[in-house]
């Protein structure tokens, strides 16, 4: 067979075996993901009963594309609006559960003599549940729409985000083996937050606007090509700044999810995602080595028991801590008790980056397969477990749990502070990042470029610096205005807090001064960059500039236009018109 057709033969073998095995699994009413894994095992290099794939490296390259499309699909199903609207209960449940399982996994790894990083990533994999399996189970058991199901689905979204962060940290650890990993990880998290905000804000501001502007020229074919082009472009951008391909695909998917064309894009890319996801899961199945499974069966059994029992307990406690009632907590805990597909991706990236030992990959897959089979039965088991707990629980304990579940619902002060935090902190973070990014581009790229223009040397230094300083201040002034601006709603909340307790005035003043200090830092940085005055003179000038920025009607108008455009794109106004 010609060399260029060998991969075609491998692809034919992969897809044919996957098709046959998944039909069998469909008849058995088992998840298709398991069928892909079994198909990969059958045609992989460790079992020679059936024809075997010849070029594993080529399949792994295609499976990398599978990861990209899977993460792109996860991003398309992700909703920032939904995430923001769910409140604190799901966030607390997710993070307490993740931290608890990471602690359990880390302890298990340390007991087995693994390195600290291997142990931490094992805990991370144990904390990931399977969105695909749980959604399928909810459909089969007709549980969609129940309160515990809604809570569970949002927890799964948060787990997906944490999984993306873990993949970033894996790359960081791999790159910092000869330096301080703790410092590198902290810097990577800061860098990740910075770039996510930039990508999200710029993406939401530009992409929906462009799609709306050119909507009459965009048919299904154009939209498919544009979406895939954006996906791969963001993958390249993410790689160029040191992040994984998976992160880039997830980011652009989540941005496109906020556009009016999100449902069309999801429909158009569904077949491509299914194809490459199948190749990925089949390639995962190829990694299953029976000899390793036989050698590490005790570890596999330990992971299964920890996932089914300990994870159910940890996730139940996490939901209780978050304020869910006992019934919803138990059902959510038992539902989340399996190892999800993200564990495969984390394991594959960790092994490829030599952060984890290669045998961990098939061990995690084996444990995941077993816990996936048990998921429907474990969800059903939650009800009798809750009934048993409810019968054996004393009335005093029940009333305490009920009171805790409703804790804070009538505290108006807490509600006001919560609303202020939700309204102001995102603005402070986002506009601070945008100010920093704008000044970085101006200082590092724009000004050096302008200095190279012909005849620019004819302008005296003081004149050039003055124009550069004014231009820089004008560029960032809408963002600085946004940092200190209070909406009418926030002013009303401030008044309510002061009426409730005059001591709240001190906290309001401190928070306001903190925001003005951030604005002062940016203004001071610009002035120091271009002028040689004494620091006290620059401080006085900076204060005067801040007053101009805050009181300027022009800045208010610019900021309002920017804010309205962003909200229009994020809220998807005009969606129905575009879909028609």
């Amino acid at each position: 067979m010609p060399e260029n057709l060998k991969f075609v033969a491998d692809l034919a073998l992969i897809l044919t075996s996957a098709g046959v095995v998944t039909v069998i699994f469909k008849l058995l009413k088992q998840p298709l993901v398991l069928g892909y894994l079994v198909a990969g095992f059958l045609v992989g290099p460790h079992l020679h009963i059936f024809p075997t794939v010849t070029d594993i490296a080529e399949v792994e390259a295609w499976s990398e594309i599978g990861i990209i499309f899977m993460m792109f699909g996860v991003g398309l199903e992700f909703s920032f609006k939904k995430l923001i609207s769910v409140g604190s209960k799901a966030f607390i449940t997710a993070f307490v559960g993740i931290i608890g399982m990471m602690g359990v996994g880390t302890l298990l790894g340390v007991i087995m003599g693994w390195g600290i990083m291997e142990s931490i990533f094992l805990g991370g994999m144990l904390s990931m549940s399977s969105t695909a399996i749980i959604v399928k189970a909810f459909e089969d058991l007709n549980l969609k729409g129940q309160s515990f199901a809604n809570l569970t689905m949002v927890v799964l979204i948060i787990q997906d985000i944490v999984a993306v962060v873990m993949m970033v940290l894996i790359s960081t650890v791999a790159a910092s083996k000869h330096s301080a990993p703790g410092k590198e990880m902290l810097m990577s998290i800061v860098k990740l937050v910075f770039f996510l905000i930039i990508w999200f804000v710029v993406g939401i501001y530009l992409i929906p606007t462009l799609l709306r502007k050119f909507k009459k020229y965009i048919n299904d074919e154009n939209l498919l090509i544009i979406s895939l082009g954006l996906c791969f472009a963001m993958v390249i951008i993410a790689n160029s700044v040191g992040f994984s391909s998976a992160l880039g695909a997830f980011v652009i998917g989540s941005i496109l999810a906020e556009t009016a064309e999100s449902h069309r894009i999801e429909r158009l890319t569904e077949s491509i995602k299914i194809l490459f996801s199948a190749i990925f899961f089949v390639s995962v199945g190829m990694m299953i080595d029976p000899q390793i499974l036989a050698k590490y069966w005790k570890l596999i059994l330990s992971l299964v028991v920890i996932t089914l029992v300990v994870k159910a307990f940890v996730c139940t406690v996490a939901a209780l801590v978050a304020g869910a009632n006992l019934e919803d907590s138990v059902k959510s805990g038992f539902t989340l008790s399996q190892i999800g597909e993200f564990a495969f991706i984390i394991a594959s990236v960790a092994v490829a980056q030599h952060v984890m030992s290669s045998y961990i990959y098939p061990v995690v897959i084996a444990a995941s397969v077993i816990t996936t089979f048990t998921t429907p039965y474990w969800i059903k088991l939650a009800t009798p477990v809750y009934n048993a707990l409810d019968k054996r629980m004393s009335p005093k304990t029940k009333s305490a749990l009920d009171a805790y579940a409703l804790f804070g619902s009538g505290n108006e002060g807490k509600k006001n502070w919560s609303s202020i935090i939700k309204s102001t902190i995102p603005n402070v973070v986002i506009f601070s990042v945008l100010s920093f990014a704008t000044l970085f581009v101006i200082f590092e790229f724009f000004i050096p470029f302008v200095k190279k223009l012909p005849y620019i040397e004819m302008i005296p230094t003081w004149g050039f610096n003055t124009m550069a300083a004014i231009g820089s201040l004008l560029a960032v002034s809408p963002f600085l205005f946004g940092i200190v601006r209070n909406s009418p709603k926030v002013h009303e909340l401030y008044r309510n807090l002061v009426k409730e307790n005059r001591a709240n005035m001190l906290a309001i003043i401190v928070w306001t001064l903190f925001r003005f200090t951030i604005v002062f830092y940016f203004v001071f940085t610009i002035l120091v960059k271009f002028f040689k005055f004494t620091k006290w003179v620059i401080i006085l000038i900076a204060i005067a500039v801040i007053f101009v920025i805050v009181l300027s009607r022009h800045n208010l108008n610019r900021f309002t236009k920017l804010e309205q455009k962003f909200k229009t794109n994020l809220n998807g106004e005009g969606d129905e018109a575009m879909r028609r």
Side-chain angles (χ1 to χ4, degrees):
M1 181 183 295
E3 283 292 326
N4 60 346
L5 287 181
K6 280 189 175 179
F7 176 69
V8 176
D10 286 341
L11 191 59
L13 179 60
I14 288 171
L15 296 180
T16 303
S17 60
V20 172
V21 175
T22 50
V23 167
I24 296 171
F25 272 65
K26 190 75 174 176
L27 292 171
L28 297 173
K29 297 184 178 180
Q30 295 300 326
L32 296 185
V33 171
L34 297 179
Y36 293 137
L37 295 173
V38 171
F41 175 67
L42 296 176
V43 301
H46 304 294
L47 193 70
H48 299 286
I49 300 174
F50 300 96
T52 303
V53 169
T54 57
D55 193 343
I56 299 295
E58 191 75 23
V59 174
E60 288 175 353
W62 282 72
S63 73
E64 178 70 20
I65 300 176
I67 293 176
I68 290 172
F69 277 110
M70 284 177 62
M71 295 302 298
F72 182 65
V74 171
L76 281 173
E77 296 170 3
F78 180 78
S79 172
F80 286 97
K81 296 191 292 290
K82 182 178 179 181
L83 193 63
I84 292 169
S85 67
V86 294
S88 59
K89 188 181 292 185
F91 283 94
I92 295 172
T93 302
F95 284 109
V96 172
I98 289 169
I99 291 169
M101 287 310 299
M102 287 189 76
V104 171
T106 302
L107 180 61
L108 177 63
V110 170
I111 290 173
M112 293 188 299
W114 293 5
I116 186 65
M117 282 299 128
E118 280 188 323
S119 302
I120 290 173
F121 288 125
L122 173 64
M125 287 185 282
L126 289 178
S127 67
M128 297 296 114
S129 303
S130 173
T131 303
I133 301 302
I134 289 174
V135 168
K136 180 69 167 60
F138 282 166
E139 289 175 352
D140 293 344
L141 300 174
N142 197 26
L143 296 173
K144 277 191 170 183
Q146 294 193 18
S147 57
F148 89 92
N150 293 333
L151 173 64
T152 302
M153 292 309 299
V154 180
V155 170
L156 289 169
I157 292 173
I158 299 169
Q159 285 185 356
D160 290 349
I161 297 173
V162 173
V164 172
V165 174
M166 284 189 64
M167 283 185 280
V168 173
L169 297 182
I170 287 170
S171 301
T172 303
V173 172
S176 62
K177 285 186 176 179
H178 302 293
S179 59
K183 182 180 178 182
E184 291 286 341
M185 288 176 71
L186 179 61
M187 291 306 298
S188 285
I189 292 173
V190 173
K191 183 180 173 184
L192 174 65
V193 171
F194 177 84
F195 278 106
L196 283 179
I197 291 173
I198 293 293
W199 289 334
F200 175 64
V201 173
V202 174
I204 291 295
Y205 194 81
L206 290 179
I207 292 176
T209 302
L210 292 174
L211 288 177
R212 264 201 305 272
K213 191 170 185 179
F214 297 103
K215 63 181 179 181
K216 61 182 178 181
Y217 305 108
I218 298 177
N219 57 22
D220 284 356
E221 183 178 348
N222 300 135
L223 188 60
L224 176 62
I225 299 302
I226 290 169
S227 302
L228 297 184
L230 288 172
C231 176
F232 288 118
M234 184 56 82
V235 165
I236 298 301
I237 292 170
N239 271 287
S240 67
V241 294
F243 296 127
S244 66
S245 303
L247 176 64
F250 174 79
V251 167
I252 193 63
S254 62
I255 291 172
L256 290 172
E258 305 300 339
T259 69
E261 300 291 357
S262 60
H263 294 292
R264 276 178 71 194
I265 295 171
E266 197 171 348
R267 173 175 56 82
L268 291 171
T269 57
E270 181 69 18
S271 298
I272 301 173
K273 185 183 79 171
I274 290 172
L275 171 63
F276 285 101
S277 298
I279 294 174
F280 168 72
F281 284 116
V282 171
S283 71
V284 169
M286 291 180 189
M287 299 291 291
I288 301 175
D289 187 344
Q291 293 182 347
I292 290 180
L293 300 185
K295 182 177 180 180
Y296 294 101
W297 68 269
K298 291 181 181 178
L299 174 58
I300 294 170
L301 184 60
S302 299
L303 294 179
V304 170
V305 171
I306 287 172
T307 303
L308 294 179
V309 180
V310 179
K311 189 173 183 179
F313 174 77
V314 168
C315 292
T316 298
V317 171
L320 284 171
V321 169
N325 60 50
L326 181 61
E327 182 176 6
D328 284 352
S329 298
V330 172
K331 289 181 177 180
S332 293
F334 275 69
T335 301
L336 292 166
S337 297
Q338 78 283 129
I339 301 174
E341 311 88 63
F342 259 117
F344 303 163
I345 301 174
I346 293 171
S348 65
V349 173
V351 171
Q353 296 281 353
H354 306 291
V355 174
M356 300 187 79
S357 302
S358 58
Y359 74 86
I360 295 175
Y361 194 24
V363 165
V364 169
I365 294 169
S368 175
V369 168
I370 295 170
T371 56
T372 297
F373 274 117
T374 62
T375 296
Y377 308 105
W378 224 240
I379 294 174
K380 292 178 183 178
L381 182 64
T383 300
V385 169
Y386 162 71
N387 291 334
L389 288 172
D390 191 54
K391 286 179 182 177
R392 288 168 174 75
M393 198 173 289
S394 66
K396 186 177 179 181
T397 304
K398 285 183 187 179
S399 60
L401 285 174
D402 290 339
Y404 181 78
L406 298 172
F407 178 71
S409 60
N411 191 323
E412 196 63 32
K414 285 187 177 181
K415 283 185 178 179
N416 288 335
W417 274 117
S418 176
S419 298
I420 289 171
I421 289 170
K422 287 180 180 179
S423 300
T424 58
I425 286 183
N427 282 358
V428 171
V429 174
I430 290 171
F431 291 125
S432 296
V433 168
L434 290 175
S435 299
F436 182 86
T438 303
L439 292 181
F440 177 80
V441 171
I442 291 172
F443 293 167
E444 296 296 324
F445 299 102
F446 184 72
I447 289 178
F449 170 75
V450 171
K451 284 182 176 180
K452 293 177 182 178
L453 294 175
Y455 308 112
I456 199 72
E457 68 273 4
M458 296 176 63
I459 301 175
T461 302
W462 66 268
F464 179 85
N465 286 344
T466 300
M467 288 189 292
I470 293 172
S472 300
L473 287 168
L474 288 174
V476 299
S477 58
F479 306 139
L480 300 183
F481 182 84
I483 292 173
V484 297
R485 177 180 179 267
N486 290 321
S487 65
K489 177 185 174 182
V490 172
H491 281 298
E492 182 64 29
L493 292 171
Y494 281 161
R495 283 193 288 270
N496 292 339
L497 284 168
V498 173
K499 285 179 183 177
E500 183 182 302
N501 188 346
R502 293 189 65 83
N504 285 324
M505 177 64 75
L506 179 61
I508 293 170
I509 292 172
V510 171
W511 175 234
T512 303
L513 287 175
F514 174 74
R515 292 156 69 189
F516 271 94
T517 302
I518 295 173
V519 173
F520 175 82
Y521 166 79
F522 285 112
V523 174
F524 185 80
T525 299
I526 293 171
L527 295 176
V528 168
K529 174 77 175 176
F530 296 109
F531 299 111
K532 303 295 183 184
F533 302 132
T534 62
K535 288 188 176 180
W536 286 110
V537 172
I538 291 180
I539 288 172
L540 292 174
I541 296 173
I543 293 172
V545 169
I546 290 171
F547 273 104
V548 172
I549 289 172
V550 173
L551 299 176
S552 169
R553 174 66 62 178
H554 179 65
N555 269 334
L556 175 61
N557 293 335
R558 291 171 69 197
F559 175 80
T560 302
K561 288 179 181 178
L562 287 171
E563 188 178 45
Q564 286 176 346
K565 173 69 74 174
F566 184 82
K567 285 182 176 179
T568 297
N569 290 345
L570 183 61
N571 294 328
E573 291 180 15
D575 284 12
E576 292 304 319
M578 285 194 72
R579 289 191 187 111
R580 289 195 295 270

